[in-house]
Amino acid sequence: MRRPRSAVFGLVALTLLTSVLTGCGTGGGITLRVIQSLTSPERTALLRDMITAFEAANPEIDVRLISPPLQSADQKIAQVLSAKNDVDLVEVRDYTVKQFVNNQSLLDLSPYVANWPGWQELTPLARQKAASVGGKPYLVPYGFFQNTLFARTDRLSEAGIKPPTTWPELIEAAVKLTEPGKNRFGYSFRGGAGTFHYAVSIISAYAGPQVDPAQGFWRKDGSTIFASPEAVTAMETFLRLFKTGSPPGSLAWSYPEMVQGFTSGVTSLLIQDPEVIKTTERATGLPKGSWTTLPIPKGPTGLALQPTGYAGWGVTSFSRNRDAAVKLLAFLSSAEQGLRWAKEHSLIPVHTAAAQDPQFSTGAFKAYLDMANDPAQVVVERPIQYPGWGRWQKQADIDVQSLLVGEKTVAEVLGSWDKFWAEQKKAGGA
């Protein structure tokens, strides 16, 4: 029963891919609707430019771009997919792909990528993430997000401090670089929304080889990372970093404030995603050649552990213009367009060709290649598949803030996190 269906899909894929290679259209009067998630004016302008190039090469296809406000975009996309509204191509994130697949909203791209030359131009990690749900490619990633350490090399040099490679070294450097009288502080601490991410990162680094990378909140013995003695040391260190090496106002800092703290010269160290590279390059408050990026700090056991965030494009399962939608997906996911997208938005590229591109093999992006080639830089998975994931993120931010202001102890915070995730695993919500 399966053979004829596969054959049909294979014929469609071959026809489509032939069209891609020759630039020939599939018929007239097609309108595609694309909805994006991570919207911004600059990003939307670039995407429109790429779509215009696609339309020029495929005059029979008209593409309409839908750009919901960033804050509510994923919710809007979920509503559109649930109602099976008229959308053909959708931006999919690591946080949403499982939900969309479970709701049968995304097309299994296996028949297409099997004969698409561009599939082999993707890095092994990109192909792995594309098929992260059920082993089938439901999206093609366009870039990765990982943290690096942004560092003021001029201030480190003036203070006689070597670039930090471990969390203990980072904290010592932050303390030495802190001069409140000059409004200078060592580290851009994030005490507001999203602070849990940094708490988990340092706990993971201190737990090191005990962590199960496939289930990053658990140790290999089945207990949570929050129950380990190393977690206590890590959180006490995290607390010291805030109290002695960071601006007091960073208690309320989230993404924009911590980045601004670094780019304005108030702070000298920052842990953030690659998109901040562009922001830092454009900053007028930093002397030229005064900063660099370094691999994420390691824990006492010599390991650094962090997840790899990603996003990409998927075709809706209910698209009435499936072949044209896949054609647009193949265009946006080509090495030429993908590298352009990664450069313009400071993303970690998904194409192997990036290794020969000076923009990614030198300068601020070199830290990512160094991390990719270092086996002590371990990629871990967050428990996003558990129903309590969203609820825990909000509570964890509240818990960290309570810890920072002295309303909770390290033991209380870790105890509650351990209990929460032990119950989640026992409930088998994955």
Side-chain angles (χ1 to χ4, degrees):
M1 294 295 290
R2 290 184 176 180
R3 185 169 297 172
R5 187 179 181 187
S6 298
V8 171
F9 272 123
L11 179 60
V12 171
L14 180 61
T15 302
L16 168 67
L17 290 165
T18 301
S19 297
V20 171
L21 291 172
T22 60
C24 296
T26 57
I30 297 174
T31 298
L32 294 178
R33 289 174 175 79
V34 180
I35 186 166
Q36 60 170 334
S37 169
L38 301 169
T39 55
S40 75
E42 299 82 6
R43 186 180 192 276
T44 299
L46 175 59
L47 184 55
R48 287 190 186 282
D49 193 50
M50 294 167 70
I51 288 173
T52 298
F54 173 79
E55 290 174 324
N58 301 275
E60 76 282 6
I61 301 177
D62 178 47
V63 182
R64 310 287 173 85
L65 178 61
I66 305 168
S67 305
L70 175 64
Q71 292 79 6
S72 58
D74 285 335
Q75 183 180 1
K76 176 66 177 179
I77 290 173
Q79 292 171 350
V80 167
L81 294 181
S82 178
K84 299 192 185 314
N85 280 344
D86 193 10
V87 170
D88 303 282
L89 202 68
V90 59
E91 186 170 7
V92 185
R93 302 172 61 189
D94 51 348
Y95 280 54
T96 58
V97 60
K98 188 175 180 65
Q99 172 192 350
F100 295 169
V101 171
N102 286 346
N103 292 341
Q104 300 181 333
S105 298
L106 295 179
L107 177 69
D108 174 9
L109 298 169
S110 299
Y112 297 98
V113 302
N115 296 297
W116 177 43
W119 182 248
Q120 297 304 321
E121 296 174 355
L122 299 173
T123 63
L125 182 60
R127 296 198 297 270
Q128 175 191 333
K129 294 299 184 184
S132 61
V133 179
K136 297 179 180 178
Y138 286 100
L139 78 157
V140 178
Y142 60 63
F144 293 127
F145 309 92
Q146 270 193 329
N147 285 163
T148 56
L149 175 62
F150 289 71
R152 285 290 297 268
T153 50
D154 55 344
R155 292 182 180 174
L156 289 171
S157 179
E158 288 171 8
I161 304 170
K162 292 182 180 178
T165 60
T166 67
W167 277 100
E169 290 178 1
L170 182 149
I171 291 163
E172 292 305 318
V175 172
K176 290 181 180 177
L177 292 169
T178 295
E179 300 178 86
K182 297 181 179 178
N183 194 30
R184 280 189 183 183
F185 297 87
Y187 181 70
S188 265
F189 196 88
R190 183 170 184 165
T195 184
F196 79 89
H197 172 72
Y198 293 86
V200 171
S201 292
I202 191 170
I203 290 172
S204 301
Y206 273 67
Q210 301 177 53
V211 179
D212 178 0
Q215 302 183 82
F217 274 24
W218 285 271
R219 292 187 289 181
K220 293 171 183 173
D221 65 3
S223 61
T224 78
I225 59 172
F226 310 114
S228 67
E230 292 81 5
V232 176
T233 305
M235 286 300 275
E236 289 174 344
T237 305
F238 189 60
L239 194 55
R240 182 183 170 223
L241 176 60
F242 168 66
K243 290 184 174 179
T244 62
S246 308
S250 60
L251 173 67
W253 282 9
S254 187
Y255 171 83
E257 294 85 6
M258 67 190 302
V259 172
Q260 187 176 14
F262 184 79
T263 57
S264 65
V266 172
T267 61
S268 301
L269 300 166
L270 165 74
I271 293 178
Q272 257 301 342
D273 286 338
E275 63 191 18
V276 177
I277 292 175
K278 278 287 182 187
T279 305
T280 307
E281 288 175 342
R282 293 168 180 160
T284 57
L286 297 179
K288 189 175 182 180
S290 65
W291 63 278
T292 190
T293 58
L294 302 166
I296 204 76
K298 297 172 181 174
T301 61
L303 295 182
L305 301 95
Q306 67 166 314
T308 296
Y310 62 93
W313 299 106
V315 176
T316 60
S317 60
F318 50 85
S319 170
R320 290 178 293 183
N321 302 295
R322 181 175 295 179
D323 290 353
V326 173
K327 193 172 188 177
L328 176 56
L329 172 67
F331 176 83
L332 295 175
S333 304
S334 66
E336 179 183 359
Q337 299 300 326
L339 289 176
R340 181 188 179 197
W341 184 258
K343 287 180 179 179
E344 291 288 334
H345 293 293
S346 291
L347 296 172
I348 303 172
V350 298
H351 293 91
T352 56
Q356 284 75 49
D357 192 310
Q359 177 158 331
F360 298 109
S361 59
T362 60
F365 269 95
K366 184 176 182 300
Y368 291 100
L369 287 180
D370 292 341
M371 290 197 298
N373 294 321
D374 182 358
Q377 294 280 347
V378 181
V379 175
V380 297
E381 299 293 334
R382 292 282 187 257
I384 60 175
Q385 73 274 30
Y386 283 83
W389 171 242
R391 178 160 44 99
W392 180 81
Q393 291 180 72
K394 296 176 182 176
Q395 183 59 48
D397 279 349
I398 296 172
D399 291 340
V400 173
Q401 280 223 328
S402 297
L403 175 67
L404 297 177
V405 300
E407 294 178 350
K408 283 188 177 181
T409 66
V410 168
E412 289 173 334
V413 171
L414 291 176
S416 65
W417 293 358
D418 173 54
K419 181 181 178 183
F420 182 90
W421 286 108
E423 290 176 349
Q424 286 284 307
K425 191 168 188 178
K426 187 176 181 180

